[in-house]
PDB file of all heavy atoms in Angstrom:
ATOM      1  N   LEU N  26      32.832  68.052 -15.049  1.00 81.00           N
ATOM      2  CA  LEU N  26      33.375  68.219 -13.711  1.00 81.00           C
ATOM      3  C   LEU N  26      33.606  69.681 -13.358  1.00 81.00           C
ATOM      4  O   LEU N  26      33.285  70.126 -12.255  1.00 81.00           O
ATOM      5  CB  LEU N  26      34.690  67.434 -13.598  1.00 81.00           C
ATOM      6  CG  LEU N  26      35.346  67.359 -12.226  1.00 81.00           C
ATOM      7  CD1 LEU N  26      34.444  66.646 -11.216  1.00 81.00           C
ATOM      8  CD2 LEU N  26      36.693  66.642 -12.326  1.00 81.00           C
ATOM      9  N   ILE N  27      34.171  70.434 -14.292  1.00 78.00           N
ATOM     10  CA  ILE N  27      34.573  71.802 -13.947  1.00 78.00           C
ATOM     11  C   ILE N  27      33.545  72.859 -14.345  1.00 78.00           C
ATOM     12  O   ILE N  27      33.429  73.892 -13.695  1.00 78.00           O
ATOM     13  CB  ILE N  27      35.944  72.144 -14.558  1.00 78.00           C
ATOM     14  CG1 ILE N  27      35.922  71.979 -16.072  1.00 78.00           C
ATOM     15  CG2 ILE N  27      37.016  71.264 -13.959  1.00 78.00           C
ATOM     16  CD1 ILE N  27      37.244  72.288 -16.734  1.00 78.00           C
ATOM     17  N   LYS N  28      32.820  72.637 -15.445  1.00 69.00           N
ATOM     18  CA  LYS N  28      31.741  73.541 -15.854  1.00 69.00           C
ATOM     19  C   LYS N  28      32.134  75.019 -15.795  1.00 69.00           C
ATOM     20  O   LYS N  28      31.558  75.819 -15.062  1.00 69.00           O
ATOM     21  CB  LYS N  28      30.497  73.300 -15.003  1.00 69.00           C
ATOM     22  CG  LYS N  28      29.847  71.950 -15.266  1.00 69.00           C
ATOM     23  CD  LYS N  28      28.514  71.827 -14.563  1.00 69.00           C
ATOM     24  CE  LYS N  28      27.846  70.514 -14.942  1.00 69.00           C
ATOM     25  NZ  LYS N  28      26.549  70.330 -14.269  1.00 69.00           N
ATOM     26  N   GLY N  29      33.160  75.370 -16.529  1.00 60.00           N
ATOM     27  CA  GLY N  29      33.539  76.777 -16.637  1.00 60.00           C
ATOM     28  C   GLY N  29      34.499  77.278 -15.577  1.00 60.00           C
ATOM     29  O   GLY N  29      34.827  78.464 -15.564  1.00 60.00           O
ATOM     30  N   ASP N  30      34.946  76.405 -14.691  1.00 67.00           N
ATOM     31  CA  ASP N  30      35.825  76.856 -13.616  1.00 67.00           C
ATOM     32  C   ASP N  30      37.306  76.814 -13.986  1.00 67.00           C
ATOM     33  O   ASP N  30      38.158  77.173 -13.177  1.00 67.00           O
ATOM     34  CB  ASP N  30      35.637  75.986 -12.369  1.00 67.00           C
ATOM     35  CG  ASP N  30      34.326  76.299 -11.660  1.00 67.00           C
ATOM     36  OD1 ASP N  30      33.846  77.430 -11.822  1.00 67.00           O
ATOM     37  OD2 ASP N  30      33.807  75.421 -10.972  1.00 67.00           O
ATOM     38  N   VAL N  31      37.638  76.382 -15.198  1.00 65.00           N
ATOM     39  CA  VAL N  31      39.037  76.182 -15.566  1.00 65.00           C
ATOM     40  C   VAL N  31      39.861  77.454 -15.470  1.00 65.00           C
ATOM     41  O   VAL N  31      40.988  77.449 -15.006  1.00 65.00           O
ATOM     42  CB  VAL N  31      39.112  75.566 -16.979  1.00 65.00           C
ATOM     43  CG1 VAL N  31      39.967  76.340 -17.924  1.00 65.00           C
ATOM     44  CG2 VAL N  31      39.673  74.176 -16.907  1.00 65.00           C
ATOM     45  N   ALA N  32      39.312  78.565 -15.917  1.00 68.00           N
ATOM     46  CA  ALA N  32      40.059  79.820 -15.895  1.00 68.00           C
ATOM     47  C   ALA N  32      40.415  80.219 -14.472  1.00 68.00           C
ATOM     48  O   ALA N  32      41.536  80.653 -14.187  1.00 68.00           O
ATOM     49  CB  ALA N  32      39.253  80.934 -16.562  1.00 68.00           C
ATOM     50  N   ALA N  33      39.476  80.059 -13.555  1.00 69.00           N
ATOM     51  CA  ALA N  33      39.731  80.400 -12.153  1.00 69.00           C
ATOM     52  C   ALA N  33      40.805  79.489 -11.565  1.00 69.00           C
ATOM     53  O   ALA N  33      41.667  79.936 -10.799  1.00 69.00           O
ATOM     54  CB  ALA N  33      38.445  80.283 -11.343  1.00 69.00           C
ATOM     55  N   ILE N  34      40.773  78.218 -11.921  1.00 67.00           N
ATOM     56  CA  ILE N  34      41.763  77.269 -11.417  1.00 67.00           C
ATOM     57  C   ILE N  34      43.153  77.637 -11.910  1.00 67.00           C
ATOM     58  O   ILE N  34      44.121  77.662 -11.152  1.00 67.00           O
ATOM     59  CB  ILE N  34      41.396  75.834 -11.849  1.00 67.00           C
ATOM     60  CG1 ILE N  34      40.108  75.392 -11.159  1.00 67.00           C
ATOM     61  CG2 ILE N  34      42.516  74.858 -11.528  1.00 67.00           C
ATOM     62  CD1 ILE N  34      39.530  74.108 -11.705  1.00 67.00           C
ATOM     63  N   GLN N  35      43.270  77.926 -13.193  1.00 71.00           N
ATOM     64  CA  GLN N  35      44.571  78.267 -13.771  1.00 71.00           C
ATOM     65  C   GLN N  35      45.128  79.547 -13.159  1.00 71.00           C
ATOM     66  O   GLN N  35      46.328  79.651 -12.887  1.00 71.00           O
ATOM     67  CB  GLN N  35      44.446  78.402 -15.290  1.00 71.00           C
ATOM     68  CG  GLN N  35      44.193  77.083 -15.994  1.00 71.00           C
ATOM     69  CD  GLN N  35      43.955  77.237 -17.474  1.00 71.00           C
ATOM     70  OE1 GLN N  35      43.523  78.307 -17.939  1.00 71.00           O
ATOM     71  NE2 GLN N  35      44.211  76.187 -18.230  1.00 71.00           N
ATOM     72  N   ARG N  36      44.260  80.519 -12.940  1.00 76.00           N
ATOM     73  CA  ARG N  36      44.718  81.768 -12.305  1.00 76.00           C
ATOM     74  C   ARG N  36      45.207  81.503 -10.888  1.00 76.00           C
ATOM     75  O   ARG N  36      46.211  82.061 -10.448  1.00 76.00           O
ATOM     76  CB  ARG N  36      43.575  82.799 -12.290  1.00 76.00           C
ATOM     77  CG  ARG N  36      43.291  83.435 -13.628  1.00 76.00           C
ATOM     78  CD  ARG N  36      42.433  84.684 -13.473  1.00 76.00           C
ATOM     79  NE  ARG N  36      41.151  84.388 -12.849  1.00 76.00           N
ATOM     80  CZ  ARG N  36      40.061  84.054 -13.517  1.00 76.00           C
ATOM     81  NH1 ARG N  36      40.084  83.957 -14.831  1.00 76.00           N
ATOM     82  NH2 ARG N  36      38.922  83.814 -12.868  1.00 76.00           N
ATOM     83  N   SER N  37      44.481  80.655 -10.155  1.00 76.00           N
ATOM     84  CA  SER N  37      44.862  80.343  -8.780  1.00 76.00           C
ATOM     85  C   SER N  37      46.214  79.637  -8.724  1.00 76.00           C
ATOM     86  O   SER N  37      47.071  79.976  -7.907  1.00 76.00           O
ATOM     87  CB  SER N  37      43.793  79.465  -8.130  1.00 76.00           C
ATOM     88  OG  SER N  37      44.208  79.028  -6.856  1.00 76.00           O
ATOM     89  N   VAL N  38      46.412  78.645  -9.598  1.00 77.00           N
ATOM     90  CA  VAL N  38      47.671  77.902  -9.612  1.00 77.00           C
ATOM     91  C   VAL N  38      48.829  78.815  -9.985  1.00 77.00           C
ATOM     92  O   VAL N  38      49.902  78.783  -9.358  1.00 77.00           O
ATOM     93  CB  VAL N  38      47.574  76.706 -10.589  1.00 77.00           C
ATOM     94  CG1 VAL N  38      48.945  76.070 -10.797  1.00 77.00           C
ATOM     95  CG2 VAL N  38      46.594  75.667 -10.061  1.00 77.00           C
ATOM     96  N   ALA N  39      48.632  79.662 -11.008  1.00 82.00           N
ATOM     97  CA  ALA N  39      49.693  80.572 -11.442  1.00 82.00           C
ATOM     98  C   ALA N  39      50.044  81.562 -10.331  1.00 82.00           C
ATOM     99  O   ALA N  39      51.223  81.856 -10.089  1.00 82.00           O
ATOM    100  CB  ALA N  39      49.252  81.322 -12.696  1.00 82.00           C
ATOM    101  N   ALA N  40      49.037  82.071  -9.639  1.00 85.00           N
ATOM    102  CA  ALA N  40      49.272  83.016  -8.546  1.00 85.00           C
ATOM    103  C   ALA N  40      50.026  82.354  -7.400  1.00 85.00           C
ATOM    104  O   ALA N  40      50.950  82.948  -6.818  1.00 85.00           O
ATOM    105  CB  ALA N  40      47.951  83.594  -8.049  1.00 85.00           C
ATOM    106  N   ASP N  41      49.649  81.119  -7.065  1.00 85.00           N
ATOM    107  CA  ASP N  41      50.325  80.414  -5.988  1.00 85.00           C
ATOM    108  C   ASP N  41      51.774  80.100  -6.345  1.00 85.00           C
ATOM    109  O   ASP N  41      52.670  80.179  -5.499  1.00 85.00           O
ATOM    110  CB  ASP N  41      49.587  79.115  -5.654  1.00 85.00           C
ATOM    111  CG  ASP N  41      48.338  79.355  -4.832  1.00 85.00           C
ATOM    112  OD1 ASP N  41      48.202  80.470  -4.279  1.00 85.00           O
ATOM    113  OD2 ASP N  41      47.496  78.449  -4.723  1.00 85.00           O
ATOM    114  N   ALA N  42      52.028  79.729  -7.599  1.00 86.00           N
ATOM    115  CA  ALA N  42      53.400  79.439  -8.035  1.00 86.00           C
ATOM    116  C   ALA N  42      54.263  80.690  -7.933  1.00 86.00           C
ATOM    117  O   ALA N  42      55.412  80.638  -7.464  1.00 86.00           O
ATOM    118  CB  ALA N  42      53.397  78.901  -9.469  1.00 86.00           C
ATOM    119  N   ALA N  43      53.716  81.841  -8.360  1.00 89.00           N
ATOM    120  CA  ALA N  43      54.461  83.098  -8.278  1.00 89.00           C
ATOM    121  C   ALA N  43      54.728  83.483  -6.824  1.00 89.00           C
ATOM    122  O   ALA N  43      55.835  83.904  -6.469  1.00 89.00           O
ATOM    123  CB  ALA N  43      53.685  84.210  -8.993  1.00 89.00           C
ATOM    124  N   SER N  44      53.709  83.321  -5.972  1.00 91.00           N
ATOM    125  CA  SER N  44      53.878  83.637  -4.548  1.00 91.00           C
ATOM    126  C   SER N  44      54.945  82.759  -3.905  1.00 91.00           C
ATOM    127  O   SER N  44      55.755  83.223  -3.106  1.00 91.00           O
ATOM    128  CB  SER N  44      52.550  83.455  -3.803  1.00 91.00           C
ATOM    129  OG  SER N  44      51.583  84.361  -4.265  1.00 91.00           O
ATOM    130  N   MET N  45      54.951  81.495  -4.278  1.00 89.00           N
ATOM    131  CA  MET N  45      55.909  80.562  -3.706  1.00 89.00           C
ATOM    132  C   MET N  45      57.337  80.939  -4.097  1.00 89.00           C
ATOM    133  O   MET N  45      58.260  80.850  -3.289  1.00 89.00           O
ATOM    134  CB  MET N  45      55.575  79.150  -4.177  1.00 89.00           C
ATOM    135  CG  MET N  45      56.265  78.050  -3.411  1.00 89.00           C
ATOM    136  SD  MET N  45      55.513  76.467  -3.817  1.00 89.00           S
ATOM    137  CE  MET N  45      56.749  75.386  -3.111  1.00 89.00           C
ATOM    138  N   LYS N  46      57.525  81.382  -5.321  1.00 90.00           N
ATOM    139  CA  LYS N  46      58.849  81.811  -5.776  1.00 90.00           C
ATOM    140  C   LYS N  46      59.325  83.016  -4.968  1.00 90.00           C
ATOM    141  O   LYS N  46      60.459  83.057  -4.482  1.00 90.00           O
ATOM    142  CB  LYS N  46      58.809  82.165  -7.261  1.00 90.00           C
ATOM    143  CG  LYS N  46      58.719  80.972  -8.187  1.00 90.00           C
ATOM    144  CD  LYS N  46      58.717  81.431  -9.647  1.00 90.00           C
ATOM    145  CE  LYS N  46      58.598  80.252 -10.591  1.00 90.00           C
ATOM    146  NZ  LYS N  46      58.570  80.684 -12.019  1.00 90.00           N
ATOM    147  N   TRP N  47      58.452  84.011  -4.828  1.00 94.00           N
ATOM    148  CA  TRP N  47      58.821  85.226  -4.105  1.00 94.00           C
ATOM    149  C   TRP N  47      59.090  84.939  -2.629  1.00 94.00           C
ATOM    150  O   TRP N  47      60.050  85.457  -2.040  1.00 94.00           O
ATOM    151  CB  TRP N  47      57.716  86.278  -4.237  1.00 94.00           C
ATOM    152  CG  TRP N  47      57.758  87.013  -5.545  1.00 94.00           C
ATOM    153  CD1 TRP N  47      56.914  86.867  -6.600  1.00 94.00           C
ATOM    154  CD2 TRP N  47      58.716  87.999  -5.943  1.00 94.00           C
ATOM    155  NE1 TRP N  47      57.276  87.686  -7.632  1.00 94.00           N
ATOM    156  CE2 TRP N  47      58.378  88.401  -7.259  1.00 94.00           C
ATOM    157  CE3 TRP N  47      59.816  88.574  -5.331  1.00 94.00           C
ATOM    158  CZ2 TRP N  47      59.112  89.367  -7.958  1.00 94.00           C
ATOM    159  CZ3 TRP N  47      60.552  89.535  -6.021  1.00 94.00           C
ATOM    160  CH2 TRP N  47      60.196  89.919  -7.316  1.00 94.00           C
ATOM    161  N   LEU N  48      58.260  84.115  -2.025  1.00 94.00           N
ATOM    162  CA  LEU N  48      58.439  83.780  -0.614  1.00 94.00           C
ATOM    163  C   LEU N  48      59.732  83.002  -0.386  1.00 94.00           C
ATOM    164  O   LEU N  48      60.448  83.232   0.598  1.00 94.00           O
ATOM    165  CB  LEU N  48      57.245  82.977  -0.113  1.00 94.00           C
ATOM    166  CG  LEU N  48      55.944  83.756   0.081  1.00 94.00           C
ATOM    167  CD1 LEU N  48      54.772  82.801   0.240  1.00 94.00           C
ATOM    168  CD2 LEU N  48      56.049  84.685   1.287  1.00 94.00           C
ATOM    169  N   SER N  49      60.041  82.070  -1.279  1.00 91.00           N
ATOM    170  CA  SER N  49      61.265  81.281  -1.146  1.00 91.00           C
ATOM    171  C   SER N  49      62.492  82.174  -1.268  1.00 91.00           C
ATOM    172  O   SER N  49      63.454  82.052  -0.495  1.00 91.00           O
ATOM    173  CB  SER N  49      61.310  80.179  -2.217  1.00 91.00           C
ATOM    174  OG  SER N  49      60.237  79.286  -2.063  1.00 91.00           O
ATOM    175  N   THR N  50      62.467  83.084  -2.241  1.00 93.00           N
ATOM    176  CA  THR N  50      63.582  84.023  -2.412  1.00 93.00           C
ATOM    177  C   THR N  50      63.702  84.937  -1.203  1.00 93.00           C
ATOM    178  O   THR N  50      64.802  85.175  -0.686  1.00 93.00           O
ATOM    179  CB  THR N  50      63.377  84.867  -3.684  1.00 93.00           C
ATOM    180  OG1 THR N  50      63.287  83.999  -4.821  1.00 93.00           O
ATOM    181  CG2 THR N  50      64.533  85.833  -3.884  1.00 93.00           C
ATOM    182  N   GLY N  51      62.554  85.447  -0.745  1.00 94.00           N
ATOM    183  CA  GLY N  51      62.562  86.332   0.421  1.00 94.00           C
ATOM    184  C   GLY N  51      63.084  85.654   1.662  1.00 94.00           C
ATOM    185  O   GLY N  51      63.814  86.267   2.462  1.00 94.00           O
ATOM    186  N   MET N  52      62.756  84.378   1.836  1.00 91.00           N
ATOM    187  CA  MET N  52      63.222  83.619   2.997  1.00 91.00           C
ATOM    188  C   MET N  52      64.746  83.564   3.018  1.00 91.00           C
ATOM    189  O   MET N  52      65.376  83.828   4.043  1.00 91.00           O
ATOM    190  CB  MET N  52      62.640  82.211   2.938  1.00 91.00           C
ATOM    191  CG  MET N  52      63.097  81.275   4.024  1.00 91.00           C
ATOM    192  SD  MET N  52      62.251  79.670   3.890  1.00 91.00           S
ATOM    193  CE  MET N  52      62.817  79.127   2.267  1.00 91.00           C
ATOM    194  N   VAL N  53      65.359  83.252   1.888  1.00 89.00           N
ATOM    195  CA  VAL N  53      66.819  83.159   1.799  1.00 89.00           C
ATOM    196  C   VAL N  53      67.462  84.526   2.028  1.00 89.00           C
ATOM    197  O   VAL N  53      68.439  84.660   2.771  1.00 89.00           O
ATOM    198  CB  VAL N  53      67.238  82.595   0.427  1.00 89.00           C
ATOM    199  CG1 VAL N  53      68.757  82.650   0.264  1.00 89.00           C
ATOM    200  CG2 VAL N  53      66.751  81.160   0.280  1.00 89.00           C
ATOM    201  N   VAL N  54      66.888  85.558   1.397  1.00 93.00           N
ATOM    202  CA  VAL N  54      67.440  86.909   1.523  1.00 93.00           C
ATOM    203  C   VAL N  54      67.371  87.403   2.971  1.00 93.00           C
ATOM    204  O   VAL N  54      68.320  88.011   3.485  1.00 93.00           O
ATOM    205  CB  VAL N  54      66.699  87.881   0.582  1.00 93.00           C
ATOM    206  CG1 VAL N  54      67.087  89.331   0.880  1.00 93.00           C
ATOM    207  CG2 VAL N  54      67.005  87.542  -0.874  1.00 93.00           C
ATOM    208  N   LEU N  55      66.259  87.142   3.637  1.00 93.00           N
ATOM    209  CA  LEU N  55      66.095  87.598   5.018  1.00 93.00           C
ATOM    210  C   LEU N  55      67.088  86.936   5.965  1.00 93.00           C
ATOM    211  O   LEU N  55      67.724  87.611   6.786  1.00 93.00           O
ATOM    212  CB  LEU N  55      64.661  87.317   5.488  1.00 93.00           C
ATOM    213  CG  LEU N  55      63.591  88.269   4.946  1.00 93.00           C
ATOM    214  CD1 LEU N  55      62.200  87.701   5.190  1.00 93.00           C
ATOM    215  CD2 LEU N  55      63.726  89.646   5.585  1.00 93.00           C
ATOM    216  N   VAL N  56      67.224  85.607   5.852  1.00 87.00           N
ATOM    217  CA  VAL N  56      68.164  84.908   6.738  1.00 87.00           C
ATOM    218  C   VAL N  56      69.597  85.350   6.460  1.00 87.00           C
ATOM    219  O   VAL N  56      70.381  85.605   7.385  1.00 87.00           O
ATOM    220  CB  VAL N  56      68.029  83.378   6.581  1.00 87.00           C
ATOM    221  CG1 VAL N  56      69.101  82.659   7.384  1.00 87.00           C
ATOM    222  CG2 VAL N  56      66.647  82.928   7.055  1.00 87.00           C
ATOM    223  N   ALA N  57      69.954  85.471   5.177  1.00 90.00           N
ATOM    224  CA  ALA N  57      71.302  85.933   4.823  1.00 90.00           C
ATOM    225  C   ALA N  57      71.528  87.357   5.307  1.00 90.00           C
ATOM    226  O   ALA N  57      72.603  87.690   5.824  1.00 90.00           O
ATOM    227  CB  ALA N  57      71.501  85.851   3.311  1.00 90.00           C
ATOM    228  N   GLY N  58      70.490  88.200   5.185  1.00 92.00           N
ATOM    229  CA  GLY N  58      70.602  89.579   5.663  1.00 92.00           C
ATOM    230  C   GLY N  58      70.806  89.647   7.160  1.00 92.00           C
ATOM    231  O   GLY N  58      71.562  90.485   7.661  1.00 92.00           O
ATOM    232  N   GLY N  59      70.125  88.761   7.895  1.00 89.00           N
ATOM    233  CA  GLY N  59      70.306  88.724   9.345  1.00 89.00           C
ATOM    234  C   GLY N  59      71.725  88.361   9.731  1.00 89.00           C
ATOM    235  O   GLY N  59      72.308  88.950  10.653  1.00 89.00           O
ATOM    236  N   VAL N  60      72.316  87.396   9.021  1.00 87.00           N
ATOM    237  CA  VAL N  60      73.704  86.996   9.297  1.00 87.00           C
ATOM    238  C   VAL N  60      74.652  88.146   9.000  1.00 87.00           C
ATOM    239  O   VAL N  60      75.561  88.448   9.786  1.00 87.00           O
ATOM    240  CB  VAL N  60      74.081  85.751   8.470  1.00 87.00           C
ATOM    241  CG1 VAL N  60      75.572  85.440   8.613  1.00 87.00           C
ATOM    242  CG2 VAL N  60      73.254  84.546   8.907  1.00 87.00           C
ATOM    243  N   VAL N  61      74.451  88.819   7.867  1.00 90.00           N
ATOM    244  CA  VAL N  61      75.323  89.940   7.478  1.00 90.00           C
ATOM    245  C   VAL N  61      75.240  91.066   8.507  1.00 90.00           C
ATOM    246  O   VAL N  61      76.270  91.633   8.914  1.00 90.00           O
ATOM    247  CB  VAL N  61      74.935  90.458   6.080  1.00 90.00           C
ATOM    248  CG1 VAL N  61      75.660  91.773   5.776  1.00 90.00           C
ATOM    249  CG2 VAL N  61      75.277  89.419   5.015  1.00 90.00           C
ATOM    250  N   CYS N  62      74.018  91.395   8.947  1.00 91.00           N
ATOM    251  CA  CYS N  62      73.840  92.447   9.949  1.00 91.00           C
ATOM    252  C   CYS N  62      74.559  92.100  11.248  1.00 91.00           C
ATOM    253  O   CYS N  62      75.241  92.944  11.838  1.00 91.00           O
ATOM    254  CB  CYS N  62      72.357  92.679  10.223  1.00 91.00           C
ATOM    255  SG  CYS N  62      71.491  93.578   8.933  1.00 91.00           S
ATOM    256  N   PHE N  63      74.408  90.865  11.671  1.00 87.00           N
ATOM    257  CA  PHE N  63      75.045  90.449  12.922  1.00 87.00           C
ATOM    258  C   PHE N  63      76.563  90.541  12.823  1.00 87.00           C
ATOM    259  O   PHE N  63      77.229  91.104  13.700  1.00 87.00           O
ATOM    260  CB  PHE N  63      74.636  89.026  13.283  1.00 87.00           C
ATOM    261  CG  PHE N  63      75.337  88.504  14.502  1.00 87.00           C
ATOM    262  CD1 PHE N  63      74.950  88.918  15.766  1.00 87.00           C
ATOM    263  CD2 PHE N  63      76.405  87.633  14.389  1.00 87.00           C
ATOM    264  CE1 PHE N  63      75.604  88.459  16.899  1.00 87.00           C
ATOM    265  CE2 PHE N  63      77.067  87.164  15.514  1.00 87.00           C
ATOM    266  CZ  PHE N  63      76.671  87.577  16.773  1.00 87.00           C
ATOM    267  N   VAL N  64      77.111  89.989  11.762  1.00 87.00           N
ATOM    268  CA  VAL N  64      78.567  89.992  11.593  1.00 87.00           C
ATOM    269  C   VAL N  64      79.102  91.415  11.489  1.00 87.00           C
ATOM    270  O   VAL N  64      80.105  91.771  12.132  1.00 87.00           O
ATOM    271  CB  VAL N  64      78.967  89.170  10.349  1.00 87.00           C
ATOM    272  CG1 VAL N  64      80.452  89.338  10.052  1.00 87.00           C
ATOM    273  CG2 VAL N  64      78.637  87.699  10.555  1.00 87.00           C
ATOM    274  N   ALA N  65      78.418  92.256  10.697  1.00 91.00           N
ATOM    275  CA  ALA N  65      78.885  93.634  10.505  1.00 91.00           C
ATOM    276  C   ALA N  65      78.843  94.425  11.807  1.00 91.00           C
ATOM    277  O   ALA N  65      79.815  95.108  12.177  1.00 91.00           O
ATOM    278  CB  ALA N  65      78.032  94.317   9.437  1.00 91.00           C
ATOM    279  N   LEU N  66      77.729  94.351  12.524  1.00 90.00           N
ATOM    280  CA  LEU N  66      77.594  95.114  13.762  1.00 90.00           C
ATOM    281  C   LEU N  66      78.544  94.601  14.848  1.00 90.00           C
ATOM    282  O   LEU N  66      79.166  95.390  15.575  1.00 90.00           O
ATOM    283  CB  LEU N  66      76.152  95.063  14.260  1.00 90.00           C
ATOM    284  CG  LEU N  66      75.154  95.901  13.450  1.00 90.00           C
ATOM    285  CD1 LEU N  66      73.732  95.578  13.849  1.00 90.00           C
ATOM    286  CD2 LEU N  66      75.445  97.388  13.646  1.00 90.00           C
ATOM    287  N   ALA N  67      78.652  93.275  14.960  1.00 86.00           N
ATOM    288  CA  ALA N  67      79.540  92.712  15.977  1.00 86.00           C
ATOM    289  C   ALA N  67      80.997  93.051  15.699  1.00 86.00           C
ATOM    290  O   ALA N  67      81.809  93.163  16.623  1.00 86.00           O
ATOM    291  CB  ALA N  67      79.356  91.193  16.037  1.00 86.00           C
ATOM    292  N   THR N  68      81.332  93.239  14.444  1.00 88.00           N
ATOM    293  CA  THR N  68      82.716  93.567  14.070  1.00 88.00           C
ATOM    294  C   THR N  68      83.023  95.049  14.235  1.00 88.00           C
ATOM    295  O   THR N  68      84.090  95.430  14.729  1.00 88.00           O
ATOM    296  CB  THR N  68      82.975  93.152  12.606  1.00 88.00           C
ATOM    297  OG1 THR N  68      82.728  91.762  12.449  1.00 88.00           O
ATOM    298  CG2 THR N  68      84.417  93.451  12.203  1.00 88.00           C
ATOM    299  N   LEU N  69      82.075  95.896  13.837  1.00 91.00           N
ATOM    300  CA  LEU N  69      82.350  97.335  13.762  1.00 91.00           C
ATOM    301  C   LEU N  69      81.943  98.122  15.012  1.00 91.00           C
ATOM    302  O   LEU N  69      82.534  99.164  15.301  1.00 91.00           O
ATOM    303  CB  LEU N  69      81.632  97.920  12.541  1.00 91.00           C
ATOM    304  CG  LEU N  69      82.022  97.302  11.183  1.00 91.00           C
ATOM    305  CD1 LEU N  69      81.159  97.884  10.074  1.00 91.00           C
ATOM    306  CD2 LEU N  69      83.505  97.546  10.900  1.00 91.00           C
ATOM    307  N   TRP N  70      80.943  97.641  15.740  1.00 90.00           N
ATOM    308  CA  TRP N  70      80.444  98.414  16.893  1.00 90.00           C
ATOM    309  C   TRP N  70      80.911  97.725  18.168  1.00 90.00           C
ATOM    310  O   TRP N  70      80.246  96.858  18.699  1.00 90.00           O
ATOM    311  CB  TRP N  70      78.928  98.481  16.823  1.00 90.00           C
ATOM    312  CG  TRP N  70      78.331  99.497  17.771  1.00 90.00           C
ATOM    313  CD1 TRP N  70      78.989 100.337  18.619  1.00 90.00           C
ATOM    314  CD2 TRP N  70      76.929  99.756  17.957  1.00 90.00           C
ATOM    315  NE1 TRP N  70      78.113 101.102  19.316  1.00 90.00           N
ATOM    316  CE2 TRP N  70      76.831 100.777  18.929  1.00 90.00           C
ATOM    317  CE3 TRP N  70      75.779  99.230  17.393  1.00 90.00           C
ATOM    318  CZ2 TRP N  70      75.602 101.259  19.344  1.00 90.00           C
ATOM    319  CZ3 TRP N  70      74.559  99.722  17.804  1.00 90.00           C
ATOM    320  CH2 TRP N  70      74.472 100.735  18.772  1.00 90.00           C
ATOM    321  N   ARG N  71      82.062  98.153  18.659  1.00 88.00           N
ATOM    322  CA  ARG N  71      82.700  97.475  19.789  1.00 88.00           C
ATOM    323  C   ARG N  71      82.496  98.194  21.124  1.00 88.00           C
ATOM    324  O   ARG N  71      83.161  97.865  22.114  1.00 88.00           O
ATOM    325  CB  ARG N  71      84.213  97.351  19.535  1.00 88.00           C
ATOM    326  CG  ARG N  71      84.599  96.681  18.221  1.00 88.00           C
ATOM    327  CD  ARG N  71      84.025  95.289  18.086  1.00 88.00           C
ATOM    328  NE  ARG N  71      84.526  94.396  19.135  1.00 88.00           N
ATOM    329  CZ  ARG N  71      84.084  93.168  19.344  1.00 88.00           C
ATOM    330  NH1 ARG N  71      83.087  92.698  18.593  1.00 88.00           N
ATOM    331  NH2 ARG N  71      84.588  92.417  20.298  1.00 88.00           N
TER     332      ARG N  71
END
């Protein structure tokens, strides 16, 4: 079925798993950062 394609498949899956981890972390950090920026600016810059 695969005829030598296994290495390419494993690299693709590993790369996608790593990308998904980074994107998920970045998503949380960005939204949290937006909330912090809003609260800080609304509090301090009157």
Side-chain angles (χ1 to χ4, degrees):
L26 186 62
I27 58 181
K28 292 188 175 179
D30 286 335
V31 126
I34 293 169
Q35 291 175 335
R36 285 195 300 270
S37 173
V38 170
D41 283 345
S44 296
M45 194 167 167
K46 286 181 181 179
W47 280 106
L48 287 166
S49 298
T50 301
M52 176 177 62
V53 173
V54 170
L55 284 166
V56 174
V60 173
V61 170
C62 285
F63 176 76
V64 172
L66 287 169
T68 302
L69 301 175
W70 193 1
R71 306 303 298 172

